[in-house]
């Protein structure tokens, strides 16, 4: 038997049509379960949504109750107007007073349920007001019926037994199924006793008439239970669907926020906005090209050059922006090459990770945008994402912080490493290049100068150009740059004079 089932499973896996049919049948079974009351209740409890559903139902029941009050007022007014048409006007006033007074009492009693704070604190209020309102309706209806039966008048006096039962199951704020059924059964018992009293006075075949009335009211109760059950199924299904929609919407928003945060951690906001807009345009163009391609495929006799034109790849848009008055910082780990040959790869990567995480935190603190890592090289720019008049000071402060951080890592991990930093101020071009894989970077001769300042700098010092130093407003002690910088051909070509920052003036 086990081998038979294994063979059947293997057949389904190997047969796509059978697998699709099995999947469709499973989906059908799942859809059928979604309309089973017990399954929906169990699902709400498993998802810990029963309290939320009860709160949702309390709000709906208040809406149903508002509709019932309106209907009951309309019925009372219409019945009162009809009583004015009866010939025996002397008996009318008793009925009118009874209907108006009962309607007022019912309105006041049920109005308590509109106080949401009271109902949420005291759950028994819902049951008490519902029982009291129904008792008033039944006593008024049966009392007038008995009164007219004993006074032998011909005033219009309908029995509101079905109306009362429908009001219980459709509009009363009592929750669940058991409580309305108990209340409806009590009302049914009262009306059967009343009917027995009336039939005993007027009809000899009383048992047959009483049995018919009992069957009729029992059917009304069953209809009410069915209505309650189907309404609860529909509302639970709607509640779960809405909850799933809200959850998916929140997850989508969270994913978009995360995507936006990730994008802004790599790109400036203005380039990120343009890039996202370009992606949207690419998607739209791709859809249009797909539709046009489908039309072309249907017309096989079209010119072959048309097909080639639609198949041309989209190389994207070039996003390049100029930026004036920025400061570029290059930082390089000294003795890194020696460590790669003597230190375990895992320990080396862990040390770099620890170091660069510290640098990223410091970059955010000093409002400096990190561009990327180049092996053991870390370079960034200030004043690019947002204009900043203190961009030079931010980079110099970041450089001093980097030297402190790498010395902490050196002591913590017992490594012979240090930092060499170059800082230069000028103009750059920033942008995203590439089609399949985007890369954000900056370019200009000032970027090359900052790189040369790092390469010709001193270990454990911040090496700056004269232009950067002029933007620091004399806030730092400094000394002349290195001999290597004075002999560097790139720095000589651009006439760059360099300095080493010693410390911050106090």
């Amino acid at each position: 038997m086990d081998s038979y089932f294994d063979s059947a499973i293997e057949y389904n896996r190997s047969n796509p049509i059978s697998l699709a049919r099995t999947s469709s049948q499973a989906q059908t079974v799942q859809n059928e379960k979604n309309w089973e009351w017990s399954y929906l209740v169990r699902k709400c409890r498993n998802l810990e949504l029963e309290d939320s559903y009860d709160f949702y139902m309390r709000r709906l029941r208040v809406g149903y109750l508002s509709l019932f009050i309106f209907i009951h007022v309309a019925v009372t007014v219409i019945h009162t107007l009809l009583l004015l048409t009866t010939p025996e006007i002397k008996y009318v006033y008793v009925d009118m007073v009874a209907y108006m007074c009962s309607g007022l009492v019912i309105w006041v009693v049920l109005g308590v349920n509109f106080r949401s704070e009271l109902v949420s604190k005291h759950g028994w209020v819902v049951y008490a007001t519902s029982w009291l309102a129904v008792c008033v309706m039944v006593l008024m209806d049966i009392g007038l019926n008995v009164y007219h039966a004993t006074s032998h008048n011909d005033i219009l006096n309908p029995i509101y037994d079905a109306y009362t039962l429908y009001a219980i199951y459709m509009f009363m704020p009592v929750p669940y199924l058991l409580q309305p059924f108990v209340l409806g059964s009590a009302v049914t018992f009262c009306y059967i006793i009343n009917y027995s009293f009336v039939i005993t006075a007027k009809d000899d075949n009383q048992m047959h008439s009483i049995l018919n009335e009992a069957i009729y009211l029992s059917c009304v109760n069953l209809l009410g239970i069915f209505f309650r059950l189907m309404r609860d199924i529909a509302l639970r299904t709607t509640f779960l669907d809405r909850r799933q929609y809200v959850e998916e919407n929140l997850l989508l928003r969270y994913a978009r926020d995360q995507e936006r945060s990730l994008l802004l951690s790599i790109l400036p906001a203005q380039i990120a906005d343009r890039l996202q807009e370009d992606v949207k345009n690419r998607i739209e163009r791709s859809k249009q090209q797909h539709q046009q391609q489908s039309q072309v495929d249907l017309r096989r006799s079209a010119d072959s050059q048309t097909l080639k034109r639609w198949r041309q790849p989209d190389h994207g848009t070039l996003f390049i922006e100029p930026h004036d008055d920025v400061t570029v910082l290059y930082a390089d780990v000294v003795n890194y090459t020696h460590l790669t040959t003597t230190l375990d790869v895992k320990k080396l990567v862990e040390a770099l990770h620890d170091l660069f995480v510290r640098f990223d935190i410091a970059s955010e603190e000093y409002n400096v945008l990190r561009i990327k890592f180049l092996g053991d090289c870390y370079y960034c720019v200030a004043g690019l994402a947002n204009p900043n008049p203190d961009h030079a000071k931010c980079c110099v402060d970041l450089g001093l912080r980097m030297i402190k951080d790498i010395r902490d890592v050196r002591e913590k991990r017992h490594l012979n490493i240090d930092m060499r930093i170059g800082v230069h101020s000028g103009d750059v071009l920033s942008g995203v290049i590439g089609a399949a894989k985007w890369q954000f970077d900056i370019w200009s001769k000032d970027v090359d100068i900052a790189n040369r300042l790092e390469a010709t700098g001193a270990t454990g010092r911040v090496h700056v150009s004269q232009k950067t130093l002029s933007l620091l407003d004399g806030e730092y002690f400094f000394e002349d740059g290195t001999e290597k910088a004075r002999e560097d051909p790139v720095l000589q070509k651009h006439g760059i004079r360099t300095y080493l920052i010693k410390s911050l003036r106090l």
Side-chain angles (χ1 to χ4, degrees):
M1 182 64 71
D2 292 340
S3 61
Y4 170 77
F5 283 117
D6 292 340
S7 301
I9 293 173
E10 186 63 30
Y11 172 76
N12 286 334
R13 288 177 178 174
S14 61
N15 190 341
I17 298 177
S18 177
L19 184 62
R21 186 181 298 112
T22 303
S23 177
S24 177
Q25 292 174 352
Q27 185 64 34
T28 302
V29 172
Q30 181 65 31
N31 292 335
E32 290 176 354
K33 277 192 171 184
N34 288 337
W35 289 96
E36 292 181 6
W37 182 76
S38 59
Y39 171 77
L40 293 172
V41 172
R42 188 166 58 253
K43 187 175 181 180
C44 286
R45 289 175 179 171
N46 292 338
L47 294 174
E48 298 181 353
L49 295 174
E50 199 65 27
D51 292 338
S52 299
Y53 178 72
D54 289 341
F55 178 75
Y56 172 70
M57 284 301 301
R58 282 201 300 269
R59 295 178 59 186
L60 288 181
R61 284 192 289 265
V62 169
Y64 298 149
L65 196 58
S66 303
L67 181 60
F68 170 72
I69 291 176
F70 173 78
I71 293 174
H72 191 69
V73 170
V75 169
T76 302
V77 172
I78 292 173
H79 195 158
T80 303
L81 293 176
L82 289 175
L83 286 174
L84 295 176
T85 62
T86 186
E88 299 185 20
I89 197 66
K90 61 180 180 179
Y91 296 106
V92 169
Y93 299 109
V94 176
D95 291 49
M96 292 179 61
V97 170
Y99 279 111
M100 298 301 291
C101 290
S102 64
L104 180 61
V105 171
I106 291 171
W107 183 82
V108 172
V109 170
L110 293 178
V112 177
N113 292 279
F114 293 100
R115 300 181 62 182
S116 56
E117 294 182 0
L118 177 64
V119 174
S120 60
K121 291 181 180 179
H122 307 286
W124 56 267
V125 172
V126 173
Y127 303 98
T129 54
S130 299
W131 277 85
L132 184 57
V134 171
C135 287
V136 172
M137 293 175 63
V138 173
L139 290 176
M140 181 272 300
D141 196 20
I142 293 178
L144 287 178
N145 187 256
V146 173
Y147 166 71
H148 288 296
T150 55
S151 60
H152 303 288
N153 56 59
D154 296 329
I155 294 179
L156 175 66
N157 183 41
I159 297 296
Y160 289 101
D161 47 5
Y163 172 78
T164 304
L165 291 175
Y166 285 134
I168 292 172
Y169 290 106
M170 297 177 65
F171 300 109
M172 288 296 123
V174 281
Y176 309 115
L177 296 175
L178 179 60
Q179 291 83 355
F181 177 72
V182 172
L183 183 56
S185 300
V187 170
T188 300
F189 182 72
C190 293
Y191 274 108
I192 290 176
I193 292 176
N194 170 68
Y195 196 73
S196 301
F197 170 77
V198 175
I199 290 299
T200 302
K202 295 182 178 181
D203 194 357
D204 294 334
N205 191 13
Q206 55 181 345
M207 290 304 300
H208 185 269
S209 299
I210 293 172
L211 183 60
N212 288 338
E213 182 69 11
I215 293 173
Y216 167 69
L217 294 180
S218 298
C219 291
V220 173
N221 278 278
L222 293 177
L223 286 175
I225 290 293
F226 177 77
F227 171 80
R228 276 263 175 166
L229 184 62
M230 294 305 298
R231 186 177 70 179
D232 193 57
I233 290 174
L235 290 176
R236 284 184 183 272
T237 303
T238 304
F239 176 77
L240 291 172
D241 290 343
R242 183 177 297 180
R243 178 253 182 192
Q244 182 178 0
Y245 170 77
V246 171
E247 182 181 14
E248 291 175 352
N249 192 26
L250 290 175
L251 289 175
L252 179 61
R253 289 184 181 181
Y254 176 76
R256 287 178 177 175
D257 292 341
Q258 292 295 103
E259 177 187 353
R260 178 69 177 176
S261 299
L262 179 61
L263 196 59
L264 291 179
S265 69
I266 302 173
L267 305 175
Q270 61 271 23
I271 293 182
D273 293 337
R274 292 177 55 191
L275 196 61
Q276 286 182 318
E277 186 65 28
D278 182 68
V279 170
K280 292 180 182 178
N281 294 334
R282 287 191 191 188
I283 294 174
E284 292 298 325
R285 288 198 302 269
S286 177
K287 291 180 180 178
Q288 293 176 2
Q289 290 179 359
H290 178 72
Q291 294 174 356
Q292 293 169 346
Q293 182 67 54
S294 300
Q295 295 175 0
V296 170
D297 290 339
L298 293 175
R299 299 192 298 269
R300 294 287 184 178
S301 60
D303 185 36
S304 60
Q305 295 299 322
T306 306
L307 292 174
K308 293 180 181 179
R309 185 169 63 252
W310 294 126
R311 289 171 183 165
Q312 288 178 354
D314 183 7
H315 295 291
T317 306
L318 188 63
F319 297 99
I320 301 295
E321 288 188 348
H323 300 275
D324 301 330
D325 297 326
V326 300
T327 299
V328 181
L329 180 148
Y330 266 86
D332 190 59
V333 179
V334 178
N335 206 29
Y336 174 77
T337 304
H338 175 70
L339 290 178
T340 59
T341 59
T342 59
L343 194 65
D344 180 67
V345 175
K346 181 179 179 182
K347 292 182 179 180
L348 179 63
V349 173
E350 288 177 350
L352 280 179
H353 175 72
D354 186 11
L355 189 62
F356 286 167
V357 166
R358 291 170 182 251
F359 290 171
D360 283 342
I361 295 173
S363 297
E364 292 185 4
E365 182 179 340
Y366 291 108
N367 196 22
V368 179
L369 177 66
R370 186 252 292 168
I371 302 301
K372 61 182 177 180
F373 308 124
L374 294 174
D376 63 324
C377 179
Y378 184 102
Y379 81 100
C380 49
V381 59
L384 184 73
N386 298 307
N388 182 6
D390 297 326
H391 52 87
K393 184 177 184 302
C394 290
C395 277
V396 171
D397 288 341
L398 176 61
L400 296 174
R401 172 74 172 270
M402 286 178 167
I403 294 172
K404 178 180 177 300
D405 286 341
I406 198 170
R407 289 175 178 173
D408 291 341
V409 172
R410 179 175 63 189
E411 295 177 2
K412 174 183 175 182
R413 296 182 178 272
H414 307 289
L415 299 175
N416 183 22
I417 56 175
D418 210 327
M419 211 74 198
R420 191 171 57 237
I421 297 173
V423 179
H424 176 62
S425 301
D427 305 328
V428 300
L429 291 175
S430 72
V432 176
I433 58 175
K437 299 180 75 173
W438 291 316
Q439 176 66 54
F440 177 73
D441 210 338
I442 56 176
W443 309 270
S444 74
K445 66 179 182 63
D446 294 313
V447 176
D448 296 334
I449 291 171
N451 188 12
R452 296 309 305 163
L453 286 172
E454 175 271 315
T456 59
T459 302
R461 305 292 293 275
V462 178
H463 195 199
V464 302
S465 65
Q466 186 175 8
K467 185 173 182 180
T468 300
L469 185 66
S470 66
L471 298 174
L472 299 178
D473 298 328
E475 296 185 14
Y476 298 83
F477 291 109
F478 60 91
E479 58 186 24
D480 289 338
T482 63
E483 185 67 25
K484 292 174 62 177
R486 286 191 288 270
E487 297 175 356
D488 185 80
V490 175
L491 298 179
Q492 286 181 351
K493 176 183 176 181
H494 296 287
I496 302 298
R497 188 175 179 182
T498 66
Y499 302 90
L500 293 171
I501 298 297
K502 296 175 64 176
S503 62
L504 183 67
R505 294 182 186 270
L506 299 177

